[in-house]
Amino acid sequence: MKTATHVGVFGLLGSGNLGNDGSLEAVLDYLRAEHPEAVVDALCGGPEAVTARYRIPATRLHWYRGEYRTASHAGAIAAKGLGKLVDAVRTAAWVRRHDVVIVPGMGVLEATLPLRPWGFPYALFLLCATGRLFGTRVALVGVGAAPIGDRPTRALVRWSARLAAYRSFRDAPSRDAMREMGVDTARDKVYPDLAFALPTPPASPHSDSPDPVCVGVMDFHGGNDDRARAEEIHRRYLDGTTRLVRALVEDGRPVRLVTGDACDAPVVAAILDAVDSPLVTAAEAASLADLMKEMAAAGTVVATRYHNLVCALKAGTPTLALSYAAKSDALMARMGLGAYCHPAREVDADRLLEQFRSLEQRSAKLRQTLTERNLTATRQLEHQFTALTMALFPTTDHAHHGQEAR
């Protein structure tokens, strides 16, 4: 009788970020299809949500519940410090119970959004270090990476990547960034984002009314290196996005506002307040599947969050990216829409509208391109999951294929 393999999944899962949860869903679908004997549980940001949605046991990632709030008084600072010691013990005990731990997708090796080294980078380092210590295979699967300016964060990320037993990346710039940080990536492969493995929603029936435009918004304040001008960046982003929505409404177009994280709600509220029109409505998406349905029903999408873009492209809808990082540019280029990127840090509403109109003029051709690119992405992800099986679930036939980080 085959012994059950104990598999852990790890990350900021169940915390309100739909992209992270979509990556988890893709990995759980793979495990259920290819390794039904696996016993799966999670160490994650929102254990209650993960257990309720995916029916797997889950443990809270951080002992201290205020981990991602700024500590402003001595008691909170002391609790955070104690939490780091407790988390080291808790993480080690959790890792030790597993044969394999998978970190499913997500930008775990980047700091393109504001990030402190002793938050998630420290948690990831604990995971990879204790995995190496106890012989538990830790896999960073289809992850994102980017150059990191902050030295402590960069050191933690570099060591996490080095200590992992398996790595694959969701785009070439991610692999390049890790190589430039001193990680040997010679055997690391690049595959499409894991969310491309999720089921595609059916195309919506065409109607005679004007095609709706889906606008994916984000509570965007720049990244780690933009902290000094975060408010200025946010104001410009919100103003440019609001002006786009207003121009679309003046053209008689229905606009559907979508988000990708619970923290984006104030941006939706601000746009609804500024553009008082029955043509502008807000979607309540609880998953990437819900987001994809919204994108599939649209004639065109304008989006900021990386996984909003993934959903739109996966749904085959022509898309304009308000891009805040190289990962968005790489994704758009991979899917044949590299010309349709606009800088999220410096939104120019007139130029954005010009790009939008150009995108709509080429809509039919771009839909055909997206159909072809999606077929390629599906095939490539089949290769990703085959490689993952060979690396993490070795049998006597293919144990020698396992990939170990040097």
Side-chain angles (χ1 to χ4, degrees):
M1 182 176 163
K2 195 170 183 181
T3 309
T5 304
H6 290 268
V7 179
V9 288
F10 176 96
L12 292 177
L13 309 163
S15 304
N17 183 289
L18 301 186
N20 292 1
D21 292 355
S23 301
L24 169 63
E25 193 172 330
V27 164
L28 292 178
D29 287 349
Y30 150 73
L31 289 171
R32 285 165 182 157
E34 299 298 325
H35 303 282
E37 78 289 349
V39 178
V40 183
D41 74 311
L43 184 63
C44 60
E48 299 86 358
V50 166
T51 296
R53 184 170 186 96
Y54 302 109
R55 304 184 308 283
I56 59 172
T59 304
R60 185 170 296 283
L61 180 58
H62 299 290
W63 172 78
Y64 178 56
R65 286 176 178 252
E67 176 59 43
Y68 292 105
R69 294 193 296 270
T70 301
S72 56
H73 57 83
I77 292 166
K80 265 199 173 184
L82 176 61
K84 298 303 160 202
L85 298 174
V86 175
D87 285 346
V89 176
R90 289 172 73 250
T91 302
W94 183 81
V95 168
R96 198 170 190 172
R97 296 198 301 269
H98 296 81
D99 302 298
V100 168
V101 175
I102 295 174
V103 180
M106 308 179 284
V108 296
L109 303 176
E110 63 180 52
T112 52
L113 296 174
L115 184 71
R116 298 294 189 192
W118 305 114
F120 188 77
Y122 173 72
L124 184 66
F125 170 73
L126 286 180
L127 171 76
C128 296
T130 53
R132 180 56 67 96
L133 186 65
F134 297 125
T136 299
R137 294 184 292 281
V138 174
L140 309 180
V141 183
V143 296
I148 296 171
D150 180 70
R151 287 179 68 181
T153 304
R154 188 169 66 244
L156 287 166
V157 161
R158 179 171 60 241
W159 277 105
S160 297
R162 282 178 173 169
L163 291 167
Y166 175 91
R167 293 179 302 268
S168 63
F169 296 99
R170 64 187 180 191
D171 52 46
S174 293
R175 183 172 60 182
D176 293 346
M178 293 317 298
R179 187 173 63 244
E180 284 159 18
M181 279 190 223
V183 177
D184 179 2
T185 60
R187 288 181 290 174
D188 299 348
K189 298 284 193 292
V190 171
Y191 300 99
D193 188 85
L194 289 171
F196 281 100
L198 296 171
T200 306
S204 58
H206 190 73
S207 72
D208 292 332
S209 55
D211 282 340
V213 179
C214 220
V215 179
V217 299
M218 179 178 180
D219 186 27
F220 180 63
H221 293 77
N224 249 18
D225 299 334
D226 299 314
R227 289 178 186 270
R229 49 189 287 259
E231 284 313 309
E232 175 203 333
I233 287 170
H234 181 66
R235 263 196 316 275
R236 184 162 181 173
Y237 169 79
L238 181 57
D239 178 59
T241 309
T242 303
R243 285 180 62 194
L244 171 70
V245 171
R246 190 176 286 120
L248 293 170
V249 166
E250 285 167 2
D251 284 348
R253 299 291 293 275
V255 175
R256 194 85 164 130
L257 300 176
V258 300
T259 62
D261 194 295
C263 70
D264 300 330
V267 179
V268 171
I271 293 173
L272 288 172
D273 191 47
V275 187
D276 186 12
S277 166
L279 286 174
V280 187
T281 55
E284 294 285 336
S287 67
L288 281 198
D290 291 347
L291 264 183
M292 278 188 216
K293 283 179 196 154
E294 294 286 348
M295 306 301 198
T300 314
V301 173
V302 181
T304 310
R305 277 199 180 274
Y306 180 79
H307 277 100
N308 274 198
L309 296 173
V310 170
C311 287
L313 298 167
K314 168 84 175 161
T317 306
T319 302
L320 173 56
L322 277 166
S323 171
Y324 65 85
K327 62 184 176 183
S328 300
D329 298 339
L331 171 65
M332 294 291 282
R334 177 193 278 267
M335 299 303 286
L337 278 83
Y340 296 99
C341 293
H342 189 97
R345 281 174 181 77
E346 297 176 8
V347 179
D348 177 332
D350 294 332
R351 171 75 183 130
L352 186 61
L353 200 55
E354 192 181 299
Q355 284 180 289
F356 175 83
R357 290 185 173 134
S358 165
L359 179 72
E360 291 219 308
Q361 283 166 4
R362 295 191 59 219
S363 179
K365 173 66 178 161
L366 293 172
R367 282 181 180 273
Q368 186 183 337
T369 300
L370 286 171
T371 300
E372 294 161 4
R373 300 295 170 100
N374 274 308
L375 285 171
T376 302
T378 301
R379 280 197 304 271
Q380 289 169 331
L381 281 169
E382 286 168 4
H383 295 317
Q384 161 70 98
F385 290 129
T386 300
L388 198 57
T389 290
M390 295 180 80
L392 300 186
F393 301 91
T395 65
T396 50
D397 291 330
H398 58 238
H400 65 282
H401 289 296
Q403 176 190 17
E404 287 295 326
R406 288 196 293 271

